[in-house]
Amino acid sequence: MAKILIATYSWSGQTQRVADQIHSLVPDAAVFSIEVAGDTFDSDMYKTDAIATQQIQRGQYPALINPVPDGSAYDLVLVGSPVWRGRPATPIHTFLKNLNGFKGAVASFYTDAGSAGDYETVFKEWADGLTVLPGHEGSTGLQDWLNQLQQKI
Ligand SMILES: Cc1cc2nc3c(=O)[nH]c(=O)nc-3n(C[C@H](O)[C@H](O)[C@H](O)COP(=O)(O)O)c2cc1C
C-alpha cells in the first residue's frame, strides 16, 4: 500500500473541500495544511492576485508557518491548490522546495473558476527535480484519477 500525503493550500475553502473528498477516498493518507502568515495575502481577491504576482516576479515566495513533513515517509504527495492567474498559488512553490528527502512522486489537484491556464506547466516547473504525475482539475472524477495514480507508483 502506497504511503500518501495530501498537502493542501486553500485560500477560500474550495480546494480544501476537494482535499477532504480525496481523504475520504484514501482514508489512510496523511494530511498537511500548507499555511502562510495571516498578513501574507489580502481578503480581497484582486489584491491577493497582485501580491502573488509580485512574489513571482521577485522570486520571493511566502514562508510557511508550519513545518513541512519529512518527505521520505511518502511514496506520493498529492498537492492541492487554487488556480491563481493560471498558476498554482505561491505557497505551493515554497512547499515543493521544502519536501526534503522526498524520493516519490507528486501530483497536483486544483480548483478554479473555469480557467486553469498554464497551471500544470507551472506546477511542473516549480516541482523541478521531482517526478510529476498527471494532475486533476475540480471535484469530479477523483476516484478515477486516484486509480490511475496508484497504477503509476
Ligand atoms: C488571486 C486569485 C487569482 C485567481 N485566478 C484565477 C484564474 O486564473 N482562473 C480561474 O479560473 N480562477 C481563478 N481564481 C479563482 C479560484 O481559482 C477559485 O475560486 C478556486 O476554487 C478557489 O480555491 P480556494 O477556495 O481553495 O482558495 C483566482 C482566485 C484568486 C483569489
Side-chain angles (χ1 to χ4, degrees):
M1 189 68 186
K3 283 173 277 172
I4 299 175
L5 175 68
I6 305 166
T8 310
Y9 177 74
S10 184
W11 182 72
S12 58
Q14 278 296 111
T15 314
Q16 185 57 51
R17 276 188 274 282
V18 176
D20 293 344
Q21 279 178 261
I22 293 170
H23 194 206
S24 70
L25 297 170
V26 279
D28 290 339
V31 293
F32 176 67
S33 179
I34 301 170
E35 288 177 16
V36 296
D39 60 356
T40 306
F41 299 113
D42 197 275
S43 56
D44 177 77
M45 170 180 165
Y46 297 99
K47 286 186 185 157
T48 294
D49 182 48
I51 293 165
T53 298
Q54 195 176 65
Q55 289 170 345
I56 291 168
Q57 284 167 350
R58 294 180 176 172
Q60 292 173 348
Y61 293 90
L64 306 187
I65 56 173
N66 46 352
V68 172
D70 177 10
S72 66
Y74 302 101
D75 305 307
L76 175 65
V77 179
L78 305 176
V79 185
S81 174
V83 174
W84 280 3
R85 197 179 275 250
R87 298 180 285 231
T90 48
I92 299 301
H93 187 283
T94 315
F95 173 77
L96 290 168
K97 298 296 172 208
N98 282 279
L99 262 180
N100 294 319
F102 182 58
K103 300 271 190 297
V106 292
S108 182
F109 60 97
Y110 49 98
T111 69
D112 54 60
S115 174
D118 294 326
Y119 181 97
E120 293 217 27
T121 303
V122 176
F123 183 87
K124 278 194 191 111
E125 287 169 14
W126 289 4
D128 184 32
L130 300 174
T131 301
V132 181
L133 298 178
H136 184 82
E137 180 181 15
S139 60
T140 57
L142 290 168
Q143 185 66 71
D144 286 348
W145 175 60
L146 292 168
N147 291 346
Q148 284 166 21
L149 292 178
Q150 299 267 15
Q151 285 167 16
K152 291 176 194 277
I153 53 172

mmCIF file of all heavy atoms in Angstrom, residues 9-16 45 48-49 81-87 111-116, ligand 1:
data_model
loop_
_atom_site.group_PDB
_atom_site.id
_atom_site.type_symbol
_atom_site.label_atom_id
_atom_site.label_comp_id
_atom_site.label_asym_id
_atom_site.label_seq_id
_atom_site.Cartn_x
_atom_site.Cartn_y
_atom_site.Cartn_z
ATOM 1 N N TYR A 9 -3.071 23.780 0.021
ATOM 2 C CA TYR A 9 -3.240 25.210 0.302
ATOM 3 C C TYR A 9 -4.597 25.618 -0.242
ATOM 4 O O TYR A 9 -4.940 25.316 -1.392
ATOM 5 C CB TYR A 9 -2.147 26.067 -0.353
ATOM 6 C CG TYR A 9 -2.404 27.530 -0.109
ATOM 7 C CD1 TYR A 9 -2.166 28.081 1.157
ATOM 8 C CD2 TYR A 9 -2.958 28.346 -1.088
ATOM 9 C CE1 TYR A 9 -2.466 29.405 1.423
ATOM 10 C CE2 TYR A 9 -3.256 29.675 -0.824
ATOM 11 C CZ TYR A 9 -3.009 30.200 0.435
ATOM 12 O OH TYR A 9 -3.321 31.512 0.702
ATOM 13 N N SER A 10 -5.367 26.299 0.579
ATOM 14 C CA SER A 10 -6.688 26.764 0.142
ATOM 15 C C SER A 10 -6.903 28.153 0.706
ATOM 16 O O SER A 10 -6.788 28.361 1.912
ATOM 17 C CB SER A 10 -7.762 25.796 0.643
ATOM 18 O OG SER A 10 -9.031 26.174 0.168
ATOM 19 N N TRP A 11 -7.197 29.092 -0.169
ATOM 20 C CA TRP A 11 -7.357 30.489 0.271
ATOM 21 C C TRP A 11 -8.776 30.736 0.747
ATOM 22 O O TRP A 11 -9.002 31.469 1.700
ATOM 23 C CB TRP A 11 -6.999 31.409 -0.893
ATOM 24 C CG TRP A 11 -7.052 32.871 -0.629
ATOM 25 C CD1 TRP A 11 -6.165 33.584 0.129
ATOM 26 C CD2 TRP A 11 -8.014 33.802 -1.117
ATOM 27 N NE1 TRP A 11 -6.519 34.911 0.125
ATOM 28 C CE2 TRP A 11 -7.659 35.073 -0.629
ATOM 29 C CE3 TRP A 11 -9.134 33.684 -1.931
ATOM 30 C CZ2 TRP A 11 -8.387 36.214 -0.923
ATOM 31 C CZ3 TRP A 11 -9.852 34.815 -2.227
ATOM 32 C CH2 TRP A 11 -9.489 36.067 -1.722
ATOM 33 N N SER A 12 -9.762 30.120 0.081
ATOM 34 C CA SER A 12 -11.156 30.388 0.457
ATOM 35 C C SER A 12 -12.005 29.120 0.608
ATOM 36 O O SER A 12 -13.232 29.205 0.615
ATOM 37 C CB SER A 12 -11.796 31.341 -0.558
ATOM 38 O OG SER A 12 -11.754 30.812 -1.866
ATOM 39 N N GLY A 13 -11.343 27.955 0.731
ATOM 40 C CA GLY A 13 -12.063 26.747 1.151
ATOM 41 C C GLY A 13 -12.418 25.738 0.070
ATOM 42 O O GLY A 13 -12.677 24.582 0.384
ATOM 43 N N GLN A 14 -12.426 26.170 -1.204
ATOM 44 C CA GLN A 14 -12.832 25.249 -2.274
ATOM 45 C C GLN A 14 -11.883 24.061 -2.409
ATOM 46 O O GLN A 14 -12.315 22.913 -2.490
ATOM 47 C CB GLN A 14 -12.852 25.994 -3.620
ATOM 48 C CG GLN A 14 -14.102 26.793 -3.866
ATOM 49 C CD GLN A 14 -15.319 25.892 -3.954
ATOM 50 O OE1 GLN A 14 -16.171 25.907 -3.078
ATOM 51 N NE2 GLN A 14 -15.391 25.085 -4.987
ATOM 52 N N THR A 15 -10.615 24.358 -2.466
ATOM 53 C CA THR A 15 -9.621 23.291 -2.643
ATOM 54 C C THR A 15 -9.591 22.378 -1.415
ATOM 55 O O THR A 15 -9.402 21.173 -1.528
ATOM 56 C CB THR A 15 -8.225 23.889 -2.923
ATOM 57 O OG1 THR A 15 -8.358 24.931 -3.906
ATOM 58 C CG2 THR A 15 -7.269 22.842 -3.444
ATOM 59 N N GLN A 16 -9.817 22.986 -0.252
ATOM 60 C CA GLN A 16 -9.871 22.171 0.962
ATOM 61 C C GLN A 16 -11.020 21.168 0.890
ATOM 62 O O GLN A 16 -10.889 20.019 1.332
ATOM 63 C CB GLN A 16 -10.015 23.065 2.206
ATOM 64 C CG GLN A 16 -9.955 22.285 3.517
ATOM 65 C CD GLN A 16 -8.668 21.482 3.646
ATOM 66 O OE1 GLN A 16 -7.566 22.017 3.477
ATOM 67 N NE2 GLN A 16 -8.779 20.186 3.926
ATOM 68 N N MET A 45 -9.605 39.503 -3.409
ATOM 69 C CA MET A 45 -9.035 38.632 -4.437
ATOM 70 C C MET A 45 -8.043 39.367 -5.328
ATOM 71 O O MET A 45 -6.977 38.842 -5.665
ATOM 72 C CB MET A 45 -10.175 38.054 -5.267
ATOM 73 C CG MET A 45 -9.747 37.332 -6.495
ATOM 74 S SD MET A 45 -11.182 36.700 -7.394
ATOM 75 C CE MET A 45 -10.405 36.329 -8.953
ATOM 76 N N THR A 48 -4.868 40.136 -3.507
ATOM 77 C CA THR A 48 -4.122 38.880 -3.344
ATOM 78 C C THR A 48 -3.440 38.504 -4.643
ATOM 79 O O THR A 48 -2.273 38.098 -4.655
ATOM 80 C CB THR A 48 -5.090 37.766 -2.884
ATOM 81 O OG1 THR A 48 -5.543 38.118 -1.573
ATOM 82 C CG2 THR A 48 -4.414 36.404 -2.848
ATOM 83 N N ASP A 49 -4.127 38.686 -5.737
ATOM 84 C CA ASP A 49 -3.551 38.406 -7.052
ATOM 85 C C ASP A 49 -2.306 39.269 -7.282
ATOM 86 O O ASP A 49 -1.266 38.782 -7.744
ATOM 87 C CB ASP A 49 -4.616 38.694 -8.121
ATOM 88 C CG ASP A 49 -4.119 38.392 -9.514
ATOM 89 O OD1 ASP A 49 -3.557 37.307 -9.716
ATOM 90 O OD2 ASP A 49 -4.278 39.245 -10.398
ATOM 91 N N SER A 81 -4.208 23.031 -4.649
ATOM 92 C CA SER A 81 -4.060 24.493 -4.735
ATOM 93 C C SER A 81 -5.202 25.094 -5.536
ATOM 94 O O SER A 81 -5.708 24.462 -6.465
ATOM 95 C CB SER A 81 -2.737 24.835 -5.443
ATOM 96 O OG SER A 81 -2.617 26.228 -5.682
ATOM 97 N N PRO A 82 -5.569 26.311 -5.232
ATOM 98 C CA PRO A 82 -6.415 27.054 -6.180
ATOM 99 C C PRO A 82 -5.574 27.496 -7.372
ATOM 100 O O PRO A 82 -4.355 27.615 -7.260
ATOM 101 C CB PRO A 82 -6.874 28.270 -5.363
ATOM 102 C CG PRO A 82 -5.832 28.458 -4.320
ATOM 103 C CD PRO A 82 -5.240 27.102 -4.039
ATOM 104 N N VAL A 83 -6.218 27.728 -8.501
ATOM 105 C CA VAL A 83 -5.539 28.355 -9.647
ATOM 106 C C VAL A 83 -5.533 29.859 -9.401
ATOM 107 O O VAL A 83 -6.585 30.461 -9.142
ATOM 108 C CB VAL A 83 -6.265 28.035 -10.967
ATOM 109 C CG1 VAL A 83 -5.639 28.819 -12.125
ATOM 110 C CG2 VAL A 83 -6.219 26.536 -11.253
ATOM 111 N N TRP A 84 -4.355 30.420 -9.448
ATOM 112 C CA TRP A 84 -4.217 31.874 -9.327
ATOM 113 C C TRP A 84 -3.560 32.394 -10.606
ATOM 114 O O TRP A 84 -2.401 32.082 -10.878
ATOM 115 C CB TRP A 84 -3.331 32.241 -8.125
ATOM 116 C CG TRP A 84 -4.042 32.198 -6.799
ATOM 117 C CD1 TRP A 84 -5.331 31.833 -6.554
ATOM 118 C CD2 TRP A 84 -3.465 32.527 -5.522
ATOM 119 N NE1 TRP A 84 -5.608 31.916 -5.207
ATOM 120 C CE2 TRP A 84 -4.492 32.346 -4.544
ATOM 121 C CE3 TRP A 84 -2.205 32.960 -5.098
ATOM 122 C CZ2 TRP A 84 -4.271 32.580 -3.183
ATOM 123 C CZ3 TRP A 84 -1.989 33.192 -3.760
ATOM 124 C CH2 TRP A 84 -3.013 33.010 -2.807
ATOM 125 N N ARG A 85 -4.312 33.169 -11.348
ATOM 126 C CA ARG A 85 -3.807 33.751 -12.601
ATOM 127 C C ARG A 85 -3.137 32.677 -13.473
ATOM 128 O O ARG A 85 -2.032 32.854 -13.991
ATOM 129 C CB ARG A 85 -2.824 34.888 -12.306
ATOM 130 C CG ARG A 85 -2.606 35.782 -13.517
ATOM 131 C CD ARG A 85 -1.654 36.892 -13.154
ATOM 132 N NE ARG A 85 -2.361 37.992 -12.542
ATOM 133 C CZ ARG A 85 -2.546 39.178 -13.105
ATOM 134 N NH1 ARG A 85 -2.066 39.412 -14.308
ATOM 135 N NH2 ARG A 85 -3.206 40.119 -12.479
ATOM 136 N N GLY A 86 -3.822 31.548 -13.587
ATOM 137 C CA GLY A 86 -3.320 30.478 -14.443
ATOM 138 C C GLY A 86 -2.103 29.739 -13.911
ATOM 139 O O GLY A 86 -1.414 29.052 -14.665
ATOM 140 N N ARG A 87 -1.859 29.889 -12.597
ATOM 141 C CA ARG A 87 -0.694 29.222 -11.994
ATOM 142 C C ARG A 87 -1.099 28.680 -10.631
ATOM 143 O O ARG A 87 -2.145 29.068 -10.096
ATOM 144 C CB ARG A 87 0.445 30.233 -11.769
ATOM 145 C CG ARG A 87 0.979 30.870 -13.022
ATOM 146 C CD ARG A 87 2.099 31.844 -12.695
ATOM 147 N NE ARG A 87 1.564 33.072 -12.123
ATOM 148 C CZ ARG A 87 1.856 34.300 -12.556
ATOM 149 N NH1 ARG A 87 2.674 34.467 -13.579
ATOM 150 N NH2 ARG A 87 1.344 35.349 -11.978
ATOM 151 N N THR A 111 -8.434 23.654 -8.013
ATOM 152 C CA THR A 111 -9.767 24.180 -8.303
ATOM 153 C C THR A 111 -9.619 25.568 -8.910
ATOM 154 O O THR A 111 -8.623 26.261 -8.689
ATOM 155 C CB THR A 111 -10.653 24.263 -7.044
ATOM 156 O OG1 THR A 111 -10.148 25.273 -6.170
ATOM 157 C CG2 THR A 111 -10.710 22.922 -6.309
ATOM 158 N N ASP A 112 -10.609 25.953 -9.682
ATOM 159 C CA ASP A 112 -10.559 27.257 -10.344
ATOM 160 C C ASP A 112 -11.974 27.709 -10.658
ATOM 161 O O ASP A 112 -12.945 27.014 -10.358
ATOM 162 C CB ASP A 112 -9.702 27.184 -11.616
ATOM 163 C CG ASP A 112 -10.152 26.075 -12.558
ATOM 164 O OD1 ASP A 112 -11.317 26.117 -13.003
ATOM 165 O OD2 ASP A 112 -9.358 25.151 -12.829
ATOM 166 N N ALA A 113 -12.072 28.857 -11.307
ATOM 167 C CA ALA A 113 -13.376 29.389 -11.675
ATOM 168 C C ALA A 113 -13.638 29.177 -13.157
ATOM 169 O O ALA A 113 -14.453 29.882 -13.757
ATOM 170 C CB ALA A 113 -13.448 30.874 -11.313
ATOM 171 N N GLY A 114 -12.926 28.232 -13.768
ATOM 172 C CA GLY A 114 -13.190 27.899 -15.170
ATOM 173 C C GLY A 114 -11.995 27.977 -16.085
ATOM 174 O O GLY A 114 -12.045 27.497 -17.206
ATOM 175 N N SER A 115 -10.904 28.570 -15.619
ATOM 176 C CA SER A 115 -9.751 28.720 -16.497
ATOM 177 C C SER A 115 -8.460 28.369 -15.761
ATOM 178 O O SER A 115 -7.940 29.175 -14.985
ATOM 179 C CB SER A 115 -9.694 30.161 -17.006
ATOM 180 O OG SER A 115 -8.522 30.355 -17.733
ATOM 181 N N ALA A 116 -7.960 27.157 -16.038
ATOM 182 C CA ALA A 116 -6.752 26.695 -15.337
ATOM 183 C C ALA A 116 -5.480 27.264 -15.960
ATOM 184 O O ALA A 116 -4.408 27.186 -15.359
ATOM 185 C CB ALA A 116 -6.698 25.175 -15.330
HETATM 186 C C1 LIG B 1 -5.705 35.639 -6.516
HETATM 187 C C2 LIG B 1 -6.684 34.792 -7.269
HETATM 188 C C3 LIG B 1 -6.465 34.506 -8.612
HETATM 189 C C4 LIG B 1 -7.348 33.679 -9.317
HETATM 190 N N1 LIG B 1 -7.071 33.357 -10.618
HETATM 191 C C5 LIG B 1 -7.909 32.503 -11.282
HETATM 192 C C6 LIG B 1 -7.610 32.077 -12.621
HETATM 193 O O1 LIG B 1 -6.609 32.448 -13.227
HETATM 194 N N2 LIG B 1 -8.508 31.252 -13.242
HETATM 195 C C7 LIG B 1 -9.648 30.803 -12.624
HETATM 196 O O2 LIG B 1 -10.407 30.052 -13.225
HETATM 197 N N3 LIG B 1 -9.920 31.147 -11.335
HETATM 198 C C8 LIG B 1 -9.076 31.967 -10.649
HETATM 199 N N4 LIG B 1 -9.352 32.309 -9.352
HETATM 200 C C9 LIG B 1 -10.489 31.661 -8.668
HETATM 201 C C10 LIG B 1 -10.010 30.473 -7.834
HETATM 202 O O3 LIG B 1 -9.102 29.645 -8.545
HETATM 203 C C11 LIG B 1 -11.194 29.563 -7.428
HETATM 204 O O4 LIG B 1 -12.206 30.321 -6.822
HETATM 205 C C12 LIG B 1 -10.720 28.451 -6.502
HETATM 206 O O5 LIG B 1 -11.656 27.396 -6.497
HETATM 207 C C13 LIG B 1 -10.525 28.943 -5.080
HETATM 208 O O6 LIG B 1 -9.973 27.907 -4.309
HETATM 209 P P1 LIG B 1 -9.776 28.091 -2.730
HETATM 210 O O7 LIG B 1 -11.138 28.344 -2.157
HETATM 211 O O8 LIG B 1 -9.199 26.786 -2.275
HETATM 212 O O9 LIG B 1 -8.851 29.228 -2.497
HETATM 213 C C14 LIG B 1 -8.494 33.137 -8.651
HETATM 214 C C15 LIG B 1 -8.715 33.470 -7.303
HETATM 215 C C16 LIG B 1 -7.827 34.270 -6.605
HETATM 216 C C17 LIG B 1 -8.070 34.580 -5.169
#
